[in-house]
């Protein structure tokens, strides 16, 4: 669902929504990684407007990776990766 060009993920104050907005602020996008219908749904972090099929900054992220404070790549959390690779 879109609202004023913003993607809403339930309550935008939710942790998932906060991470999506943080990525957007840094010129990045958190989008679906796997094909529609494949479960569980996974996500990838890419530079904004990166075509599908390009190598993501981080791929195959679970919802828990997005909302948790897990170390996911090179000893960094998703928030730290966004801050490192963002504008």
């Amino acid at each position: 669902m879109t609202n004023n060009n913003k993607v809403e993920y339930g309550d935008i104050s939710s942790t998932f929504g906060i991470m999506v907005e943080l990525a957007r602020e840094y010129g990045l996008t958190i989008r679906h990684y796997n094909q529609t219908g494949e479960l569980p749904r996974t996500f990838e972090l890419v530079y904004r407007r990166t075509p599908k099929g390009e190598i993501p900054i981080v791929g195959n992220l679970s919802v828990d990776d997005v909302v948790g404070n897990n170390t996911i790549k090179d000893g960094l959390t998703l928030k730290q990766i966004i801050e490192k690779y963002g504008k």
Side-chain angles (χ1 to χ4, degrees), residues 1 7-25 28-34 40-45 60-69 78-79 82:
M1 177 183 342
V7 177
E8 292 183 37
Y9 293 92
D11 178 6
I12 201 62
S13 67
S14 71
T15 306
F16 192 93
I18 290 168
M19 294 307 289
V20 168
E21 289 300 313
L22 179 66
R24 180 175 286 126
E25 289 172 16
L28 306 172
T29 300
I30 296 174
R31 66 181 182 196
H32 288 123
Y33 179 71
N34 54 359
R41 292 299 282 170
T42 56
F43 304 89
E44 64 183 355
L45 177 69
N60 204 24
L61 297 166
S62 68
V63 172
D64 203 37
D65 291 333
V66 175
V67 301
N69 197 26
L78 182 58
K79 181 178 179 183
I82 290 170

